[in-house]
DNA sequence: CTGAAAGCGCTAACAA
DNA sequence: TTGTTAGCGCTTTCAG
């Protein structure tokens, strides 16, 4: 910048003014400066600007895995909003490990991001307290923050969606409805289990509920066990996208009513089409990013908790009738 | 840092030494400093460090769309390698728009990223020349850089994969093989078309080739037109994942041999399973990131051009025999 | 082993 | 409309 000033025969500050499109610069002078910039191939050093202004024009995004379609949808939506606000996105995957989540968040904070969007992996976010107090706003997405942290949160209606799916199966005549969920330590998994239980009421049978990490072998074993019962399930409700696919593989063509939580590409092309409870991943990203930028801009008020609706998409698998009872 | 120094009763530089784990600090002093850091909740301001050192420990990643499973696979792999090198990833989606690609790259450069990984949308990358000359290394992924730019490149064997797929269909008795490709301005689309033509030789029929943006209506119209011919195609080769899915929808259950370029989730669950040419998106990301970090570390030598192998995964759809010729 | 001073490139505040 | 000066928080250099 010094060189540019010399080249254009003006003061440092004038160059700064031109670079920042600040008003109050003679057009001719500005042109001379721009010419000098062009000639010298100058480009502003953002680090210095950041140091001076204390604003990085970047936000940090911690998700579970960029490779997962649900989270990459969130990611893309956040990115779009950020660009509109002139911000860049620093992102990282926690791989569902609390330690990595913490490390990423603290790294982002050390880089003085203007704000954070976090899909939490852990349950303890006390490490964030000092950052929040220091004025870095954060929005939690998909899952709430650990106890004692008063922070904006954007969630899907997990419980309502699960209730809806289960009720849909009930309405189609099913009474024996199994639930395959992810590990109950995961917030969304627990909420969906609750919704399932609420809809089922007295019909709940603990033997038809299985919650653990979605591995094919586990799912297959569980399904085999359930289907081998005297009064086997006639319908299945799967607690997330990965589980739905795993279950589809494990079922290996056996015909059974099925509704999955979370939509997925090609669900409509399978036969029958897979009925799902669809979450709006893009909406999740968009809403949380907008909330964050409102906070960054100084928007005050108490922490908000937004819940986005989900919707049931019937495609056939959720509308299959119960198998005719076996004549015994 | 000044406060920490005061709190610990040492000089600024000593704090700096402790924070950076520099050798030559009395253990007791270091402990005192660390205690002060803890008490004050201090964390180093990376911007200032960057300003001084000129190294940001971050790389820029420009892809087409984080929401696309192929690119999010690349993305995740890049991220993993970056973390191992103590680097963060700034990423952005070009949405296949050259202007946005350019803007992202220049924004990243203004932030003084240590290096760039780019899936180019445009064909002209002259804007990068000054950055490269200034010492910011770049690696192009999935598609090569525009003419006149001597830069590391990591590609898949698009042509070979297309040749393999087409030959596979030929081996299963097909002689009328249609090709649906993406817009020919996209490098990978062109390469795959070439491979298809090479394998087909004299059997090429221009009426069985359609290349454009993968919209359902277009694909449906093309397929209808082709299937209405006197000698309709008995097999279809689709040029990317999006097109494969679109074609599956457009075929709406009509039985026809099919191989798609690029694997996708659930390809095995459709009936018949969809045979594909699988690209290693994670490998693409990993190899390019490793190459980039080698350059950042000062690794010299001429620009490399790495080609990753692809593999054919038969699942049924690519092994269907031609329909018995209609008795006319 | 520890410290003082200079300066990275920029912008804010104040003059002229 | 333009310029001058100070200082953001850190690391580098050189001196104790």
């Amino acid at each position: 910048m010094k060189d540019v000033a010399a080249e254009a025969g003006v003061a440092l500050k004038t160059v700064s003014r031109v670079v920042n499109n600040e008003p109050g610069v003679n057009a001719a002078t500005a042109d001379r400066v721009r010419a000098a910039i062009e000639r010298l191939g100058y480009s502003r050093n953002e680090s210095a600007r950041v140091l001076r202004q204390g604003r990085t024009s970047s936000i940090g995004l911690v998700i579970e895995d960029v490779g997962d379609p649900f989270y990459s949808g969130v990611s893309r939506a956040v990115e779009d909003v950020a660009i509109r606000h002139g911000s860049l996105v620093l992102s990282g995957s926690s791989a569902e490990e609390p330690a990595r989540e913490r490390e990423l968040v603290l790294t982002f904070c050390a880089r003085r991001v203007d704000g954070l969007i976090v899909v939490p992996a852990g349950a303890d976010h006390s490490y964030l307290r000092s950052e929040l107090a220091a004025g870095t706003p954060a929005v939690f997405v998909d899952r709430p923050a650990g106890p004692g942290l008063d922070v904006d949160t954007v969630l899907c209606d997990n419980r309502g969606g699960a209730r809806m799916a289960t009720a849909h199966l009930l309405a189609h005549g099913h009474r024996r409805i199994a639930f395959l969920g992810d590990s109950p330590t995961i917030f969304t998994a627990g909420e969906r289990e609750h919704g399932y239980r609420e809809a089922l009421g007295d019909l709940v049978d603990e033997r038809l509920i299985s919650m653990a990490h979605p591995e094919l072998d586990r799912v297959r074993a569980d399904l085999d066990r359930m289907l081998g019962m005297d009064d086997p399930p006639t319908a299945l409700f799967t607690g997330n996208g990965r589980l739905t696919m795993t279950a589809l593989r494990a079922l290996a063509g056996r015909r059974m009513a099925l509704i999955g939580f979370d939509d997925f590409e090609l669900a409509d092309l399978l036969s029958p089409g897979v009925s799902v409870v669809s979450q709006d991943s893009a909406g999740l990203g968009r809403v949380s990013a907008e909330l964050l930028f409102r906070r960054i801009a100084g928007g005050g008020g108490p922490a908000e908790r937004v819940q986005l609706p989900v919707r049931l998409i019937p495609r056939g698998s959720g509308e299959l009738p119960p198998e005719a009872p076996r004549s015994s």
Side-chain angles (χ1 to χ4, degrees), chain A:
Chain A
M1 192 177 248
K2 213 166 57 185
D3 296 347
V4 172
E7 175 85 13
V10 297
L12 216 59
K13 179 65 217 183
T14 304
V15 179
S16 171
R17 286 202 178 93
V18 172
V19 169
N20 294 295
N21 295 315
E22 281 175 40
V25 180
N26 187 307
T29 316
D31 280 345
R32 229 168 55 240
V33 171
R34 269 187 287 268
I37 287 177
E38 188 69 28
R39 231 168 311 142
L40 271 55
Y42 163 83
S43 100
R44 179 173 62 194
N45 182 321
E46 290 295 323
S47 311
R49 175 194 171 84
V50 160
L51 178 58
R52 191 64 244 239
Q53 301 201 132
R55 270 283 205 100
T56 57
S57 293
S58 61
I59 63 173
L61 171 66
V62 180
I63 55 189
E64 200 238 301
D65 177 7
V66 251
D68 181 301
F70 177 71
Y71 293 112
S72 61
V74 173
S75 201
R76 178 63 202 273
V78 168
E79 192 189 288
D80 286 343
V81 175
I83 293 245
R84 266 213 312 285
H85 287 262
S87 230
L88 282 181
V89 179
L90 279 163
S91 65
S93 305
S94 69
E96 210 69 88
E97 290 169 25
R100 194 154 167 199
E101 169 205 314
R102 186 193 142 112
E103 197 183 324
L104 280 167
V105 167
L106 293 180
T107 307
F108 291 159
C109 287
R111 302 218 172 195
R112 300 293 186 270
V113 292
D114 299 334
L116 288 164
I117 295 183
V118 182
V119 176
D124 173 24
H125 302 99
S126 50
Y127 68 86
L128 245 179
R129 191 150 311 141
S130 58
E131 307 297 341
L132 290 172
T136 307
V139 176
F140 276 63
V141 183
D142 192 45
R143 311 167 186 175
L149 209 70
D150 191 38
V151 69
D152 293 316
T153 310
V154 183
L155 306 172
C156 283
D157 183 11
N158 292 290
R159 198 180 285 216
R163 225 186 289 120
M164 203 190 308
T166 312
H168 188 79
L169 291 168
L170 285 168
H172 280 80
H174 297 273
R175 290 298 172 268
R176 304 284 296 158
I177 303 173
F179 176 62
L180 289 180
D182 206 329
S183 168
T185 56
I186 297 177
F187 170 80
T188 49
E191 284 293 295
R192 293 168 196 174
E193 180 200 358
H194 273 298
Y196 160 84
R197 286 181 187 273
E198 283 169 16
L200 221 46
D202 291 342
L203 292 173
V204 167
D205 178 344
E206 299 297 336
R207 297 170 304 162
L208 295 187
I209 298 177
S210 163
M211 297 185 73
H213 197 76
E215 277 146 23
L216 182 56
D217 288 343
R218 192 272 292 188
V219 170
R220 190 171 280 152
D222 281 335
L223 281 176
D224 282 347
R225 177 177 57 71
M226 292 178 187
L227 292 171
M229 291 167 63
D230 279 343
D231 42 1
T234 60
L236 177 60
F237 174 43
T238 47
N240 68 33
R242 185 121 319 274
L243 270 163
T244 308
M245 299 192 200
T246 310
L248 284 168
R249 292 216 165 77
L251 284 172
R254 266 179 292 193
R255 219 172 153 80
M256 179 174 189
L258 171 69
I259 298 187
F261 209 109
D262 211 1
D263 200 2
F264 55 94
E265 185 86 51
L266 294 189
D268 58 321
L269 281 184
L270 295 171
S271 49
V274 179
S275 302
V276 298
V277 175
S278 165
Q279 309 184 75
D280 181 10
S281 65
L284 221 48
R286 188 174 38 74
V287 169
S288 51
E290 279 165 358
L291 192 48
L292 182 65
F293 281 107
R294 217 176 311 141
R295 295 290 183 197
I296 290 175
E304 285 185 36
R305 189 177 179 115
V306 182
Q307 188 170 76
L308 296 180
V310 297
R311 63 182 220 283
L312 183 78
I313 305 181
R315 294 203 178 101
S317 75
E319 293 69 41
L320 292 176
E323 271 181 8
R326 290 169 297 179
S327 53
S328 55

